[in-house]
Structure formats: C-alpha cells, structure tokens
Amino acid sequence: YTFSLNKIDTTLSFSQPKGISVGNYTWNMQYFNEKGKLVLDQEHLIEVVKSMPEVYIDKEGFTVKNGKRIFPFGVYIGHHDDQHLKRIKEAGFNTVLSYGYGFNKGAEAYLDHAHEYNLNVIYSLKDMYEGRSMKIDQPRKTAVEYINKLKNKPALLSWYTVDELLPEWLPKIKDMYNDIVENDKNHPAFQVHYYDGARMLEKYYYTTDIMATDPYPVGRPDLNLTTIRTNATVNGMHGSKGIWSVP
C-alpha cells in the first residue's frame, strides 16, 4: 500500500484474513519515504484465540470481565481491612488498588478478601524493577512468580505495571509487559502517567493494554486538565487501547 507522508493523519484499514489458525502472529509494517529510505519499522503482535480472555478491552474500548462489560470505578487503599472494604463497596465502588500489595506475603489473602466483597483488584507490580526502591534480589523473576501465583484469583482485574516512570525505563517496562503476555493470557496490563501530550504517551504504546493519566482534578481551580489529559491518552493510544483515568 502506497501513500504520501504528510501532516494529515492517514488511516490504513486491512481486511481480516479468514481461516487463521489459533496461535501467535507478528505483523511487520515498514514505511519508506519517496526516496526509498526506511523511516519507520513497526511490529504488531496478533494473538488468535478460541475464546476471549477473562478480562479484556473490547473493540469499543469497554472493559469486559467474565463476559460482561464493567466500568472500573475504584479507589486506592492501604490494607484490606473489613471496615474499609465494606465502606468502599457500600459507597458504590467496584475496584481497589493498593501499592502495599506488590512484594507482599499477604497478596493472596488480599485478593481473596476483596473477592468476598465483590471488589475487583488492580494488582501492583509497579516497583518490581531493578533500580526501584523495593528491595528485591531478582525483581523480574519475582514479578513472574507473583503473576503465576495470583493470575487465577477471581478478584483480579489487571496488572498495574507503571506509575509515572519516565521513558528511560521503557526497556524494563517492555520486559514486564512481555512477561505478563507470556504468563497470563487472561488479564491486561495497566499503566498511569502524568503527561499532557499524546506524543509522550505514544512512546509507551507497545508496553500496555490499558493507559491512563492522573490529572487529579480535586482541589484544582481549573478542571480542564482532566479533559486535556484524557484526550491526550485517547490520541496517544490511537483508539486501540483501553482508556482509564485517575481522578
């Protein structure tokens, strides 16, 4: 397919081939300028499955868990005490995320307890990188162990892999994402950034299934930042990722 490179967005559409066998595929796209010089080389991973995962983002961007669309409406928590989970559930929330549960001996109990209150869990792996503050001898190996230990818990909604890490972390973020794809086919990866621009967010495109920004509108005199960052997230992910937001 030949088209001119210019400042106008160009959308390429391809018909889905029929009769593809179940398995993993790689689609390589190369872009050349008018002089025949390669200007962009991209690889897209495609997985053909018999049935959809337990949790996934559908073609309209909705979050689907166990065959039903849900709206992840949640809060950050410290620990899974009954009094807190009860209040969260009664207040109308359906999801929790705790930074205290990453490298933690109470991880399984945390997920089981949340399930008792019918709450979804976004599980934090965000500190399991070499060079982060969490003191783990082999953080990547440990992250994989936790993924495999917790991936069958019914409360699990997604894996939280990035909390505002700069692009210099991208090689390690990519490794984390690949480990999730390889070890858990049923739950997506989720990351959060503070960027206002789509170009910065776009750098992380190949390392997540769900992207969010954190405008934190409460206490700000101007609420437009929520719209600005959400629009940047949508544009940076080109309409093909889940879009959440952190108010």
Side-chain angles (χ1 to χ4, degrees), residues 220-246:
R220 292 182 182 270
D222 184 358
L223 300 184
N224 284 334
L225 187 59
T226 300
T227 300
I228 291 169
R229 288 193 178 170
T230 302
N231 283 339
T233 311
V234 172
N235 293 332
M237 297 298 104
H238 303 288
S240 62
K241 302 286 185 178
I243 307 297
W244 293 355
S245 186
V246 183

Side-chain angles (χ1 to χ4, degrees), residues 8-119:
I8 300 174
D9 287 344
T10 302
T11 301
L12 303 180
S13 298
F14 300 90
S15 299
Q16 177 179 324
K18 296 181 180 179
I20 301 180
S21 300
V22 171
N24 296 324
Y25 298 85
T26 301
W27 183 15
N28 180 251
M29 297 183 67
Q30 295 182 325
Y31 303 80
F32 299 84
N33 63 17
E34 67 277 4
K35 296 181 179 180
K37 181 180 179 181
L38 180 66
V39 294
L40 187 62
D41 191 350
Q42 294 178 318
E43 280 192 354
H44 300 268
L45 300 180
I46 300 172
E47 184 179 8
V48 179
V49 297
K50 289 184 179 180
S51 59
M52 295 305 290
E54 291 178 20
V55 182
Y56 67 94
I57 305 300
D58 69 17
K59 62 183 179 180
E60 294 183 86
F62 287 92
T63 304
V64 179
K65 183 176 183 183
N66 296 327
K68 296 181 179 180
R69 282 180 171 178
I70 67 170
F71 185 88
F73 186 43
V75 294
Y76 290 97
I77 64 171
H79 297 280
H80 63 278
D81 300 322
D82 274 316
Q83 58 173 324
H84 301 315
L85 296 183
K86 184 174 183 292
R87 285 168 54 205
I88 289 168
K89 184 62 180 178
E90 290 177 350
F93 297 102
N94 62 20
T95 302
V96 291
L97 166 58
S98 171
Y99 291 169
Y101 292 96
F103 182 56
N104 189 293
K105 293 181 180 179
E108 292 180 276
Y110 164 48
L111 284 153
D112 291 340
H113 209 182
H115 182 59
E116 292 175 10
Y117 287 88
N118 199 29
L119 291 169

